[in-house]
Amino acid sequence: MALSDKDNGCTGGEGGESDAIVNTCVLDGFSESREIRAIISTLPQVHGDTLQSESTIQRFLVIMNRYLEQPNLLDPHLEWMLSMLLEFVRSDTSPPSLVHLGFKYLYIICKVRGYKIFMQLLPHEVADVHPVLDLLSRQDPNDTETWETRFMLLLWLSMTCLIPFDLYRLDGDLEADSGKARESTMDRILAIAKAYLLVKDSPRDAASVLISKFMTRPDVKQKCLGDFLDWSLSTISETDDQSMKGIMVLDGALQSLAKLFKHGKREDLLQYAPTIQQCLEKKRLSESSQATLRKLGVKMIQRLGLTFLKPRLAAWRYQRGSRSLAANLSMAQSAAVTAAVTPDVETQEQEEDYDIPEEVETVIENLLAGLKDKETIVRWSAAKGIGRVTGRLPKELADEVVGSVLDCLSFQETDNAWHGGCLALAELGRRGLLLPSRLADVVPLIIKSLTYEEKRGACSVGANVRDAACYVCWSFARAYEPKELEPFVSQISSALLIANVFDRNVNCRRAASAAFQENVGRQGTFPHGIDILTEADYYAVGNLNKCYMSISVYVASFPEYTKDMIDHLIAMKINHWDSAIRELSAKALHNLTPQAPEYMAATVLPQLLPMAVGFDLQGRHGAILACAEIMHALYKLGLQTNRIVVDMISPECVDALKNIHQALHDRKQYRGFGGELMRPAMFSLIEKLSLSKMPFKNEPVIAGWQSLIDDTIKTLHFISSGAKDGIMTAAVQALSALCEEHYQAEPGKADTQMQDVLVSQYIEGLKSPQMLTRCGSALALGCLPKFMIHGKLTQILEGLQQMCTVSQKKGDFTEARRDAVKAISQVCAKVGVSAHSSPDSFLCSENVAEVYGTLLHSMNDYTTDSRGDVGAWVREAAMTSLMDVTFLVAGSAPEILSPDLVKCTMCCLAQQAAEKIDRYRAHAGNILLRLLHSTDPAVPHIPHKEELLSIFPAETLISLNWNAPSQAYKYITQLLRLPQYQHHTLLGLTVSVGGITESTVHFSSQWLFDYLRVIQRDNAALSEFGDSLLSVFRDNLKNDRVSTPFLKMLNQMLANSCFEIFTTQENFCGLIQFQGEVRKKVLSQLLMLLCHPFPVIRKSTASQMYEMLLFYDDVIDPEVLDDVTTLLSDTNWESDLATVRPHRNQLCDLLGVSRPQVVAKVTT
């Protein structure tokens, strides 16, 4: 099977709002025909084996399902597949299981290709009627395992009913030998069809097809049509639609009637139509709770309407004369391009000179009501019915129908009515039943539909309406000549592009893109259509962020669309219910400001400012964000033209911007849920106005802004968890911009009063009992400009270092330590490095060691709580800060960077790069390589730099995936041969090799053992490694995080015979292989553990000892081996100690080991 993508694969759509490029799978043929032939030929062998038959069916399904979107590729192969399967089915020697299996395969093919096409290939000769009928008669309608057989047999019987002979010719002599009359073929088929119309599974659908074929036969309709319709109507009338069985019965009866009226002749069915309509009205299917029944009711109503009306093509309909894309694109009105066909008046009068039955009015009323149904399938069926019925009406009545459809598109109606109305308009337009004279009424409603959205609680409805409106625009492009749509091109193109770029729903954006593309191709009159399509195609609009931030800017660069897009954002998106859309809209307005700066300043901003202090929470939030972004965009434009922003907007706007904070504060709108939106929006306004250099210095509004920032930092713990991080980040960014613009007494020099207040206030906040206040205070200190830190550096660093050290010892305030570590590097970056300057103003030789000490100490933060290893957050921040500070110092004053500091930094990074958590291992590894390979600046004093460069060549910066254990540990274990890195690398490897993640344990132990095998004969290297191993264990003896995985790692080492001389206190079973004093100590310790206070340890020790004695057969005398193993296996070591101790003592005697003595506890 050839695909357009590599390796027969394909990537899916956006799923959420991903930026992935979407490739479609396009098949060019049925390449699995050989495999399918082989599978079908094996049916006689596998039908008796349930497992094999299910396996082959599954494989067959997988192959066939690939062609669900391109079933036409199967057409050349259907005949041979059908003949192979029918050979098994028709054979008299085929067992029932093989027959049923063959029909399962036939059903799968039929499902993929569609029954209408596939059933035409079924044999339908006279000789097939009775065999199919007999086989169907023998089936059990209640057998749930063989429903595919019954389904296919009903379809097959439907085809055999098409033989051009009267069925009575097949009956022969109906007198049986016993004297009883046999049923005729016609009666048998009718009985079977009726029976299967009432079943609960899929054969019911096939039975309705059988009825439509069977009842339309000339001989059958004369004898049975009336009786069958009477039976159907009585079944419908007498069946209750409240039970599941009743719903299935009604479904079968209605399906059969709908298909019968679809395929039957009008003159045969017209006499019955009024009666059926009355029955359906009494049944009130439109009030049923089942969408399927309501849909079938609508379908039946439209079929009745088509029966009442003569089958004629309305002469008054609009017919587009040419559908040539080339002609439309070139706009060449040649002779080949004919004009729209409009019949003359005389022909119209002749065509419309007939009476319309009264029942048609009821039909149209029911169809119009169906357009407002709550289910899409019902509305869609009603829309198609409206189109079909209207096509047979006179012009005046059809125009009334169009007017009734347009009434659905009023704001008194629900979203369901809007959706149904749009579908109906699309059907009418597609069929040429919506005359150009009506476009002036229709187009404004479609424009409204393209932006229709109705808020419901915390979300909205209307995406289906917008999607249907795009379908209307698509159908209009194909239905009308360009000259007919020319007056509406501007409206339609702008509305489609707005939906294309700004709609929240990806399906609507793509539907709008498809409609726009169709209009560009068919109409050729959309301004800049081709240019826009190249940028905003079907796949490009899949990413919402890209639509708002880049595509919108490109589209707005064309003057025809600029103001419409801006107006839409102001009217519909700034007050949208989704906060993400409001934020994107504000950013989009920032990007669109250069396209229309005067319009933004003179029109848009005055519109937004009243909304910014309004009572609608969502509108207020969006308006404040939009004001902030527009002001900043205007400031940037002013820089290019040497104008200040206050000269570009009116004084009233300046005052309104200044008063927003006070208005919100006075109305207490910073509190509660609304405050969670207002605070970050206001911080954005503070930041952007400060960056825009608004002349508010020394005005009361500055104190109000500062108090809002300080109050937020102190009360962050009262804010819901989902909004805390965003509010904190916004507050810190606002503080930085505010200080930079308004707290300078003169350029580069701080306002000393504000400096003292803020620094002391935030340092005091580092001691707050509230964790979030500490976080906010730390980040606030980190964001202060250089002039605010000047002269306060020592005070700030001491406060941050003290919080890191004290809280780490207590194991609390983990997030605050993380932010303090970040703040340290930010403060150092702000003040810069000067080797011999004051430590109160610069990072210098006097304070660099303290900074490194704090960061290196944070690298050993392994705090855990209910969330897991939360200390990893601190370690990650410390690694980043170490890199930033190291580059800062190495670039400005490398002489103050001592070898010890660099060594500790590199060793700690090596340790982290060897640990078990993928994310932090990757972070450490990448930083290690960046420090190693950096040349501008080059980091001095890196230990073993040449060896490191040989282990990690330059290409590993890109090629090495530290997240993959299979790659990372191959490199990191090579650091074990470098003496200065060995201890820290081994410490990191310990928690990886002794961990619980399978892939990490596997690859880390594999490469560790490979290294040990290399140094196996190097006594010096092995001794050095052993010393490091003992050092790791000794240093972490009481640290469960290291000691437990250490013992696991050591056990693996001993099991892999990595050492010949090594002892520890715990892995006794592995150490039993060493003879002499070691073996005696191991046996003594194991026997003591057999009387451990914890039963689980006693049981585990006995099990391990049993396995040890069987594995090492030279440990004890063979004569006592059986007695010892029997004692170990038969004793219940989970019993109380008094019961267990005699058995343990007996083992001591057998093994020749002194019995342990109980030591009495000394009480003081």
Side-chain angles (χ1 to χ4, degrees):
M1 180 173 62
L3 302 179
S4 64
D5 213 24
K6 189 177 178 180
D7 297 331
N8 293 2
C10 63
T11 57
E14 76 160 12
E17 296 283 344
S18 68
D19 201 14
I21 297 176
V22 184
N23 296 322
T24 55
C25 292
V26 181
L27 312 175
D28 62 359
F30 185 50
S31 59
E32 293 94 343
S33 59
R34 289 186 180 179
E35 185 177 356
I36 291 295
R37 192 184 294 271
I39 290 174
I40 295 175
S41 63
T42 61
L43 295 191
Q45 289 78 44
V46 303
H47 70 87
D49 188 330
T50 305
L51 186 61
Q52 284 192 6
S53 62
E54 287 183 356
S55 175
T56 54
I57 288 175
Q58 190 61 38
R59 178 57 187 162
F60 191 78
L61 265 173
V62 168
I63 294 174
M64 298 303 292
N65 284 344
R66 292 177 184 170
Y67 298 88
L68 280 171
E69 294 186 2
Q70 292 177 271
N72 57 296
L73 297 178
L74 298 176
D75 289 351
H77 307 272
L78 290 177
E79 191 171 345
W80 65 259
M81 287 192 284
L82 182 64
S83 62
M84 287 183 69
L85 290 168
L86 288 182
E87 185 179 347
F88 300 138
V89 170
R90 285 171 153 174
S91 175
D92 295 334
T93 60
S94 296
S97 58
L98 178 57
V99 173
H100 291 312
L101 189 60
F103 277 117
K104 281 182 186 289
Y105 280 74
L106 284 172
Y107 173 77
I108 292 170
I109 301 171
C110 179
K111 180 197 71 171
V112 173
R113 187 60 188 98
Y115 80 89
K116 293 179 182 178
I117 300 294
F118 185 71
M119 67 184 293
Q120 297 174 15
L121 301 176
L122 292 169
H124 46 276
E125 299 176 0
V126 176
D128 295 309
V129 177
H130 278 294
V132 174
L133 191 56
D134 293 339
L135 184 57
L136 187 55
S137 301
R138 295 196 296 269
Q139 303 303 313
D140 179 9
N142 299 317
D143 187 356
T144 57
E145 297 295 325
T146 59
W147 63 268
E148 295 98 334
T149 302
R150 302 192 294 278
F151 184 94
M152 293 307 304
L153 283 172
L154 286 166
L155 288 183
W156 194 355
L157 187 59
S158 304
M159 287 304 299
T160 60
C161 288
L162 299 180
I163 58 173
F165 305 106
D166 284 346
L167 292 177
Y168 76 86
R169 296 189 180 184
L170 305 178
D171 294 335
D173 186 8
L174 293 179
E175 290 293 329
D177 296 337
S178 59
K180 295 182 179 179
R182 291 187 293 108
E183 274 190 305
S184 66
T185 302
M186 186 183 300
D187 293 338
R188 290 180 65 192
I189 294 176
L190 183 57
I192 284 177
K194 286 182 178 180
Y196 278 101
L197 282 176
L198 307 180
V199 298
K200 60 184 179 181
D201 49 8
S202 292
R204 181 178 67 251
D205 303 330
S208 66
V209 176
L210 172 59
I211 286 293
S212 69
K213 304 291 185 184
F214 178 68
M215 279 297 167
T216 52
R217 288 179 55 87
D219 55 340
V220 175
K221 67 185 178 186
Q222 291 178 3
K223 298 181 180 180
C224 303
L225 180 58
D227 294 337
F228 174 76
L229 291 175
D230 289 341
W231 174 84
S232 297
L233 294 181
S234 62
T235 301
I236 293 172
S237 302
E238 297 168 3
T239 305
D240 180 20
D241 64 350
Q242 301 302 313
S243 65
M244 185 57 67
K245 181 178 180 181
I247 292 169
M248 298 299 179
V249 170
L250 284 173
D251 180 273
L254 290 169
Q255 270 200 73
S256 63
L257 285 178
K259 285 187 170 65
L260 180 57
F261 272 77
K262 178 180 180 180
H263 296 288
K265 292 183 179 180
R266 177 175 180 263
E267 54 268 22
D268 298 330
L269 298 170
L270 182 59
Q271 57 181 319
Y272 305 107
T275 307
I276 295 174
Q277 186 182 28
Q278 292 174 11
C279 177
L280 293 178
E281 287 178 1
K282 291 179 182 178
K283 193 62 182 175
R284 296 182 180 277
L285 290 174
S286 60
E287 300 175 7
S288 172
S289 60
Q290 296 296 318
T292 306
L293 295 183
R294 298 200 303 276
K295 175 198 170 186
L296 287 172
V298 168
K299 188 182 287 289
M300 192 62 223
I301 287 292
Q302 67 167 285
R303 290 299 169 192
L304 289 172
L306 294 174
T307 303
F308 289 129
L309 296 167
K310 294 179 181 179
R312 65 179 68 236
L313 203 58
W316 54 265
R317 66 192 176 95
Y318 178 85
Q319 300 176 63
R320 182 171 180 177
S322 171
R323 293 184 180 272
S324 169
L325 284 177
N328 291 330
L329 288 174
S330 64
M331 296 298 294
Q333 302 297 326
S334 62
V337 183
T338 60
V341 178
T342 305
D344 56 47
V345 176
E346 182 181 353
T347 306
Q348 291 184 22
E349 290 177 353
Q350 291 176 358
E351 290 290 334
E352 296 180 9
D353 187 19
Y354 64 90
D355 294 330
I356 302 299
E358 295 179 0
E359 292 87 353
V360 173
E361 184 177 353
T362 305
V363 168
I364 293 175
E365 287 179 1
N366 288 326
L367 291 176
L368 289 171
L371 291 178
K372 303 177 183 181
D373 193 90
K374 62 182 180 181
E375 294 293 340
T376 301
I377 56 172
V378 183
R379 298 194 294 271
W380 183 233
S381 182
K384 290 190 287 186
I386 288 285
R388 288 168 180 153
V389 173
T390 306
R392 297 188 182 184
L393 292 175
K395 183 177 179 180
E396 291 76 11
L397 291 179
D399 193 62
E400 290 182 16
V401 173
V402 172
S404 299
V405 171
L406 292 179
D407 290 340
C408 293
L409 276 64
S410 67
F411 283 99
Q412 290 80 24
E413 296 289 353
T414 65
D415 60 299
N416 294 331
W418 278 76
H419 182 239
C422 286
L423 292 177
L425 287 175
E427 284 295 314
L428 292 170
R430 194 169 65 87
R431 298 169 187 269
L433 305 174
L434 196 61
L435 297 178
S437 59
R438 271 288 192 178
L439 288 178
D441 301 322
V442 172
V443 170
L445 293 175
I446 297 305
I447 301 303
K448 291 180 182 178
S449 300
L450 283 169
T451 57
Y452 180 90
E453 190 163 30
E454 185 179 338
K455 188 177 178 185
R456 296 275 178 86
C459 58
S460 69
V461 295
N464 58 344
V465 178
R466 302 193 298 275
D467 185 77
C470 293
Y471 174 44
V472 176
C473 296
W474 179 89
S475 68
F476 282 4
R478 302 172 69 88
Y480 296 103
E481 284 288 334
K483 66 179 182 180
E484 306 290 358
L485 285 181
E486 190 172 359
F488 312 103
V489 162
S490 176
Q491 300 175 57
I492 295 175
S493 61
S494 293
L496 281 176
L497 280 176
I498 285 169
N500 191 3
V501 176
F502 292 137
D503 200 291
R504 180 178 181 271
N505 187 282
V506 62
N507 292 328
C508 294
R509 294 199 301 275
R510 286 179 164 169
S513 176
F516 187 84
Q517 181 175 343
E518 192 72 17
N519 276 277
V520 170
R522 297 281 179 182
Q523 298 292 316
T525 54
F526 276 31
H528 312 287
I530 298 296
D531 295 334
I532 291 172
L533 279 176
T534 58
E535 181 73 16
D537 62 16
Y538 181 86
Y539 299 116
V541 299
N543 184 276
L544 184 63
N545 194 65
K546 182 179 179 182
C547 285
Y548 273 82
M549 303 309 294
S550 61
I551 295 178
S552 65
V553 178
Y554 179 79
V555 175
S557 65
F558 302 107
E560 295 88 344
Y561 306 116
T562 307
K563 290 187 178 180
D564 288 337
M565 297 182 74
I566 294 173
D567 290 341
H568 174 77
L569 289 175
I570 300 301
M572 302 290 294
K573 293 297 187 283
I574 284 301
N575 57 356
H576 196 272
W577 61 270
D578 187 350
S579 61
I581 295 295
R582 298 196 295 271
E583 292 167 7
L584 281 173
S585 300
K587 294 176 182 176
L589 285 171
H590 177 279
N591 293 342
L592 295 178
T593 299
Q595 309 291 345
E598 292 81 7
Y599 184 68
M600 286 289 192
T603 305
V604 174
L605 203 58
Q607 289 179 15
L608 289 173
L609 287 169
M611 293 172 60
V613 291
F615 290 98
D616 177 46
L617 172 62
Q618 292 163 349
R620 194 165 66 240
H621 176 248
I624 293 175
L625 290 174
C627 287
E629 294 290 349
I630 291 173
M631 288 299 296
H632 193 212
L634 290 173
Y635 167 74
K636 290 179 180 178
L637 287 173
L639 291 179
Q640 301 170 10
T641 57
N642 294 321
R643 296 175 64 193
I644 59 174
V645 70
V646 291
D647 292 341
M648 302 171 71
I649 62 175
S650 65
E652 292 79 10
C653 289
V654 175
D655 292 337
L657 287 167
K658 187 191 305 183
N659 296 329
I660 289 176
H661 164 70
Q662 194 60 44
L664 298 179
H665 182 270
D666 292 343
R667 288 191 292 199
K668 298 180 172 54
Q669 288 176 332
Y670 290 125
R671 298 183 179 181
F673 172 74
E676 294 181 8
L677 291 175
M678 287 299 99
R679 287 177 186 265
M682 198 62 210
F683 292 146
S684 177
L685 184 66
I686 295 170
E687 178 190 6
K688 300 301 183 183
L689 292 182
S690 299
L691 292 174
S692 303
K693 300 188 181 302
M694 293 295 286
F696 297 157
K697 191 171 184 180
N698 298 324
E699 293 194 22
V701 67
I702 302 301
W705 289 353
Q706 183 65 54
S707 66
L708 177 62
I709 294 172
D710 294 341
D711 176 70
T712 301
I713 291 175
K714 292 177 183 177
T715 59
L716 274 170
H717 53 282
F718 292 124
I719 297 171
S720 62
S721 57
K724 288 175 182 176
D725 291 340
I727 292 176
M728 188 188 305
T729 302
V732 168
Q733 291 173 347
L735 176 64
S736 178
L738 186 66
C739 292
E740 191 74 45
E741 178 61 25
H742 298 291
Y743 294 157
Q744 294 188 67
E746 55 186 68
K749 188 175 181 181
D751 180 337
T752 55
Q753 182 182 357
M754 287 304 302
Q755 181 187 26
D756 293 340
V757 170
L758 291 181
V759 170
S760 60
Q761 175 182 309
Y762 295 138
I763 290 176
E764 190 64 28
L766 297 175
K767 304 173 184 177
S768 170
Q770 294 297 333
M771 188 266 292
L772 288 173
T773 302
R774 291 193 177 200
C775 292
S777 300
L779 293 174
L781 288 170
C783 80
L784 292 177
K786 179 178 180 179
F787 61 82
M788 294 291 286
I789 303 173
H790 189 77
K792 302 284 185 179
L793 179 60
T794 303
Q795 187 180 353
I796 292 173
L797 288 178
E798 285 178 354
L800 293 171
Q801 292 165 359
Q802 183 179 6
M803 190 187 74
C804 288
T805 307
V806 173
S807 63
Q808 184 172 342
K809 289 180 180 178
K810 295 181 179 179
D812 53 5
F813 300 111
T814 306
E815 292 92 330
R817 292 200 302 280
R818 173 200 62 197
D819 293 336
V821 168
K822 292 179 181 178
I824 289 175
S825 67
Q826 291 170 355
V827 168
C828 292
K830 293 282 179 63
V831 298
V833 180
S834 181
H836 305 295
S837 296
S838 168
D840 215 21
S841 299
F842 294 93
L843 185 63
C844 60
S845 58
E846 296 183 32
N847 56 14
V848 67
E850 296 176 3
V851 170
Y852 268 87
T854 303
L855 297 179
L856 291 170
H857 181 69
S858 299
M859 290 275 280
N860 292 314
D861 191 327
Y862 289 93
T863 306
T864 58
D865 61 14
S866 59
R867 296 169 292 179
D869 183 9
V870 293
W873 304 338
V874 184
R875 300 199 301 276
E876 183 180 33
M879 287 185 268
T880 305
S881 296
L882 272 173
M883 177 184 67
D884 294 340
V885 173
T886 301
F887 282 142
L888 180 68
V889 176
S892 301
E895 64 273 14
I896 67 172
L897 203 56
S898 68
D900 284 342
L901 292 179
V902 178
K903 174 191 170 184
C904 291
T905 300
M906 297 299 288
C907 287
C908 286
L909 288 172
Q911 176 187 333
Q912 296 299 321
E915 291 205 352
K916 60 184 179 180
I917 303 178
D918 293 348
R919 170 179 170 176
Y920 304 111
R921 179 177 66 247
H923 192 61
N926 289 324
I927 290 176
L928 180 71
L929 294 187
R930 287 185 63 184
L931 292 176
L932 177 64
H933 290 281
S934 175
T935 55
D936 186 21
V939 180
H941 313 306
I942 295 179
H944 304 290
K945 185 170 184 178
E946 295 302 322
E947 293 89 336
L948 288 175
L949 288 173
S950 66
I951 296 172
F952 300 106
E955 56 267 19
T956 55
L957 276 167
I958 301 172
S959 62
L960 178 54
N961 180 10
W962 287 94
N963 280 301
S966 57
Q967 295 186 39
Y969 290 107
K970 175 182 178 181
Y971 289 90
I972 205 67
T973 50
Q974 297 182 52
L975 297 181
L976 292 171
R977 57 186 172 89
L978 306 179
Q980 296 196 48
Y981 293 100
Q982 189 176 72
H983 175 87
H984 286 83
T985 305
L986 187 56
L987 180 57
L989 281 170
T990 297
V991 296
S992 297
V993 177
I996 58 175
T997 304
E998 183 180 359
S999 60
T1000 304
V1001 172
H1002 171 74
F1003 290 107
S1004 60
S1005 58
Q1006 173 187 331
W1007 291 108
L1008 175 61
F1009 298 153
D1010 283 352
Y1011 167 75
L1012 289 173
R1013 278 191 285 273
V1014 170
I1015 65 170
Q1016 198 63 212
R1017 297 182 180 180
D1018 188 340
N1019 291 333
L1022 193 61
S1023 176
E1024 186 179 7
F1025 181 84
D1027 290 340
S1028 297
L1029 198 64
L1030 286 173
S1031 174
V1032 169
F1033 187 53
R1034 192 180 298 114
D1035 294 345
N1036 298 276
L1037 197 56
K1038 296 183 179 180
N1039 183 359
D1040 290 343
R1041 184 190 68 83
V1042 178
S1043 59
T1044 301
F1046 179 90
L1047 294 174
K1048 291 181 181 179
M1049 179 181 73
L1050 186 57
N1051 189 43
Q1052 291 186 55
M1053 288 180 178
L1054 295 173
N1056 282 273
S1057 303
C1058 292
F1059 301 104
E1060 299 200 357
I1061 303 174
F1062 218 77
T1063 60
T1064 68
Q1065 195 174 359
E1066 293 289 341
N1067 286 274
F1068 311 116
C1069 293
L1071 294 173
I1072 201 72
Q1073 58 187 300
F1074 305 134
Q1075 298 181 0
E1077 196 64 29
V1078 173
R1079 181 173 291 179
K1080 291 181 181 179
K1081 289 183 178 180
V1082 169
L1083 285 174
S1084 177
Q1085 291 291 334
L1086 288 172
L1087 290 167
M1088 288 177 64
L1089 289 173
L1090 286 176
C1091 280
H1092 193 278
F1094 294 155
V1096 66
I1097 293 181
R1098 299 199 296 271
K1099 181 180 179 181
S1100 178
T1101 303
S1103 175
Q1104 293 291 325
M1105 280 190 68
Y1106 183 87
E1107 294 176 5
M1108 173 195 74
L1109 294 174
L1110 293 179
F1111 189 78
Y1112 301 108
D1113 53 4
D1114 62 337
V1115 173
I1116 60 173
D1117 191 342
E1119 295 181 0
V1120 298
L1121 179 61
D1122 290 342
D1123 296 335
V1124 172
T1125 53
T1126 301
L1127 265 176
L1128 286 170
S1129 60
D1130 293 352
T1131 302
N1132 182 8
W1133 296 100
E1134 292 180 310
S1135 301
D1136 58 273
L1137 283 174
T1139 306
V1140 168
R1141 187 169 283 112
H1143 297 291
R1144 192 278 311 271
N1145 292 340
Q1146 188 177 353
L1147 283 172
C1148 291
D1149 297 339
L1150 290 171
L1151 294 172
V1153 177
S1154 302
R1155 296 183 179 183
Q1157 301 297 318
V1158 179
V1159 179
K1161 291 184 179 180
V1162 180
T1163 57
T1164 57

